[in-house]
């Protein structure tokens, strides 16, 4: 019997700096209802879905940025999403900035900030949490940039690894679901760690500007979209899984986000794509059994992987120069 689930990417148009969480949540509730009317069983919202993408704003003191963080999940403001999930019998994935009191490296509890996402089941339970590992950008104000990208200032590197959970969703008693956030999708290592846990469905949200803002050269808009899609399509193909990749889109605080949310199958094909730069639901039916083909043939990891030759991947961070070829002296 086929293992079918209908999933949705609930793309969000821009959330301006002055827009309160209550407005963002009301927009998300409308998208949840719309997705439900189309038979959707699991809805994926973007990275930092409750507020504007605040790492583009510089605050001298980190505590000043705490207004953008959630200290509880659910909270008074987000509880309506959990209630809607229970009422509609639908799961959802939500990205948000997390502020918690947690033990650090020394074992002492302190305030910690993460770029996080949760997977909520149709009964309102938090099934899985992920904290973003590949944090792009910089930690100090950079005068050379048109727009700041201060994720390294406001967030710590995630400490939950790349988790996968098997849990009921829709009509299925168990689906292997994994998570990553935005920039993670560009790193094959992240996909492979999920693939090694047999993830069948990868959920991810993103906030990607339409232009490269690092001030080191021009990158055409179509290449920005291409690279975003290429990363997700390659990740799905090489790890034989589906993915729902949901964007924030349109001009937010004067900065254009590229949108183009997609749902991708294990062949690496895009099976649904957003066409607007606004709030938009795209859906796709996924037969999870088609993950089996890749998993049992080209990407049968247990037969073909050679980890003894991959040690550089975990022992080395930056690239090193190769040895330089030299002609051997004649004997
Ligand atoms: N939010 C992100 O992680 N954005 C990055 C940008 C800065 C390149 C991304 O990989 O899309």
């Amino acid at each position: 019997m086929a293992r079918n689930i209908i999933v949705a990417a609930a793309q969000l148009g821009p959330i301006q700096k002055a827009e309160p969480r209550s407005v963002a949540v009301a927009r998300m509730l409308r998208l949840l209802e719309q997705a439900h009317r189309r038979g959707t069983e699991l809805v994926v919202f973007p990275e930092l879905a409750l507020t504007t993408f605040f790492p583009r704003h510089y605050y001298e003191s980190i505590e000043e940025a705490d207004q953008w963080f959630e200290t509880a999940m659910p909270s008074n403001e987000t509880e309506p999403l959990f209630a809607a999930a229970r009422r509609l019998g639908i799961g959802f994935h939500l990205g948000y900035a997390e502020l918690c009191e947690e033990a650090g490296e020394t074992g002492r509890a302190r305030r910690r900030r993460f770029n996080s996402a949760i997977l909520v089941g149709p009964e309102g339970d938090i099934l899985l949490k992920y904290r973003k590992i590949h944090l792009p950008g910089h930690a100090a104000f950079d005068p050379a940039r048109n727009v700041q990208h201060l994720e390294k200032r406001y967030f710590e590197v995630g400490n939950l690894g790349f988790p996968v959970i098997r849990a009921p969703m829709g009509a299925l008693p168990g689906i292997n679901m994994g998570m990553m956030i935005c920039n993670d999708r560009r790193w094959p290592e992240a996909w492979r760690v999920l693939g090694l846990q047999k993830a069948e469905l990868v959920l991810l949200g993103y906030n990607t500007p339409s232009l490269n803002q690092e001030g080191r050269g021009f990158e055409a808009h179509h290449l920005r979209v291409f690279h975003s899609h290429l990363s997700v399509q390659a990740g799905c193909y090489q790890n034989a899984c589906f993915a729902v990749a949901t964007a924030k889109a349109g001009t937010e605080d004067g900065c254009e986000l590229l949108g183009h949310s997609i749902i991708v199958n294990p062949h690496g094909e895009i099976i649904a794509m957003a066409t607007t730069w606004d709030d938009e639901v795209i859906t796709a039916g996924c037969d999870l059994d088609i993950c089996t083909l890749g998993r049992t043939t080209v990407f049968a990891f247990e037969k073909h992987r050679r980890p003894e030759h991959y040690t550089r991947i975990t022992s080395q961070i930056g690239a090193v120069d190769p040895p330089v070829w030299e002609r051997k002296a004649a004997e």
Side-chain angles (χ1 to χ4, degrees):
M1 206 176 76
R3 293 172 60 235
N4 290 315
I5 180 163
I6 302 179
V7 296
Q11 177 173 287
L12 287 172
I15 301 178
Q16 306 306 341
K17 205 174 174 190
E19 198 168 324
R21 285 169 178 74
S22 55
V23 174
V25 168
R27 286 168 55 183
M28 285 191 261
L29 287 172
R30 278 196 291 276
L31 295 173
L32 265 185
E33 299 272 358
Q34 200 180 321
H36 177 66
R37 284 196 294 277
R38 294 197 211 159
T40 304
E41 295 157 305
L42 174 59
V43 173
V44 178
F45 292 112
E47 174 190 34
L48 301 181
L50 298 166
T51 65
T52 198
F53 187 77
F54 67 89
R56 71 171 70 90
H57 300 296
Y58 176 75
Y59 296 95
E60 183 69 39
S61 123
I62 304 229
E63 285 72 26
E64 266 183 89
D66 283 352
Q67 57 181 300
W68 303 110
F69 285 75
E70 312 306 311
T71 51
M73 191 56 70
S75 58
N76 287 344
E77 276 142 330
T78 53
E79 172 54 33
L81 290 169
F82 287 71
R86 287 191 292 270
R87 180 167 48 81
L88 303 172
I90 198 170
F92 71 92
H93 162 283
L94 176 73
Y96 64 103
E98 179 189 9
L99 174 56
C100 59
E101 192 78 23
E102 207 177 89
E105 311 68 36
T106 61
R108 282 230 334 264
R110 60 175 172 82
R111 299 192 111 191
R112 305 188 69 176
R113 298 167 182 82
F114 298 99
N115 184 343
S116 299
I118 45 167
L119 169 63
V120 178
E123 285 161 18
D125 309 289
I126 296 180
L127 306 176
L128 192 64
K129 183 192 276 190
Y130 170 66
R131 291 169 169 167
K132 185 173 180 179
I133 287 177
H134 295 101
L135 297 174
H138 46 108
F141 183 83
D142 182 351
R145 294 181 63 113
N146 294 334
V147 182
Q148 301 297 301
H149 192 111
L150 292 155
E151 284 196 62
K152 283 188 162 68
R153 180 176 190 81
Y154 299 129
F155 303 122
E156 288 184 54
V157 172
N159 57 357
L160 303 176
F162 291 100
V164 176
I165 191 91
R166 184 171 184 83
M169 196 60 73
L172 297 177
I175 303 181
N176 301 350
M177 291 170 285
M179 296 159 86
M180 58 174 78
I181 299 178
C182 195
N183 192 259
D184 291 321
R185 74 194 186 285
R186 303 184 194 274
W187 298 91
E189 296 89 338
W191 289 94
R192 185 47 49 89
V193 174
L194 294 180
L196 285 167
Q197 298 170 81
K198 300 190 180 176
E200 297 172 300
L201 182 55
V202 173
L203 316 171
L204 75 104
Y206 62 97
N207 279 272
T208 301
S210 296
L211 290 176
N212 187 322
Q213 296 165 327
E214 295 200 30
R216 290 165 201 266
F218 175 71
E219 196 183 341
H221 175 265
H222 74 277
L223 289 180
R224 301 281 286 178
V225 174
F226 172 64
H227 293 152
S228 177
H229 287 179
L230 177 68
S231 303
V232 178
Q233 292 179 255
C236 286
Y237 166 61
Q238 292 168 348
N239 296 282
C241 61
F242 286 86
V244 183
T246 308
K248 191 108 74 57
T251 305
E252 188 178 88
D253 297 342
C255 173
E256 191 181 286
L257 300 170
L258 60 75
H260 285 82
S261 303
I262 48 173
I263 303 174
V264 174
N265 72 15
H267 304 302
E269 295 169 304
I270 295 175
I271 53 176
M273 178 160 71
T275 55
T276 73
W277 282 25
D278 217 325
D279 292 1
E280 178 180 351
V281 172
I282 57 168
T283 61
C286 306
D287 173 5
L288 300 175
D289 278 347
I290 71 171
C291 299
T292 309
L293 179 67
R295 255 169 221 199
T296 52
T297 58
V298 180
F299 297 112
F301 293 159
E302 67 286 1
K303 290 188 192 146
H304 308 306
R305 290 186 76 249
R306 295 286 171 254
E308 66 275 24
H309 293 291
Y310 309 152
T311 49
R312 271 186 199 276
I313 288 179
T314 52
S315 63
Q316 183 180 321
I317 300 175
V320 295
D321 291 324
V324 176
W325 179 81
E326 279 172 36
R327 188 176 299 281
K328 291 202 174 56
E331 297 274 305

